[in-house]
Amino acid sequence: MLEMRPDCERCGADLPAEHPGAFICSFECTFCAECAEALDDRCPNCSGELMDRPARAKALHAKFPPSSERKFQS
């Protein structure tokens, strides 16, 4: 199951699990659309390809909660 991290690791933008617009690599490093584009869809951590992260229906959050751990380092 995907962690569904709550923020962009590069700029700190909020990326709610129930909304589209997040991009992840195979290690689930997470970026917003603007940062993924600026990174040419390449993860700066592992050089993996950044792909669209699927959204998780809000109704499933109680049973399958998204991560609340933020990764952005200012």
Side-chain angles (χ1 to χ4, degrees):
M1 177 171 45
L2 292 174
E3 286 183 39
M4 306 300 283
R5 295 177 183 171
D7 63 335
C8 175
E9 293 183 29
R10 186 170 183 248
C11 73
D14 290 334
L15 298 170
E18 66 274 12
H19 293 130
F23 289 77
I24 60 173
C25 70
S26 65
F27 292 100
E28 291 189 62
C29 300
T30 306
F31 301 91
C32 67
E34 293 80 17
C35 287
E37 185 175 334
L39 295 166
D40 199 26
D41 293 320
R42 263 310 135 202
C43 178
N45 302 323
C46 68
S47 299
E49 184 178 10
L50 294 173
M51 304 291 292
D52 285 318
R53 179 183 77 181
R56 182 172 295 161
K58 187 112 176 143
L60 297 174
H61 287 199
K63 188 172 182 180
F64 304 103
S67 175
S68 60
E69 182 182 341
R70 297 185 72 85
K71 299 289 185 176
F72 176 67
Q73 305 278 322
S74 57

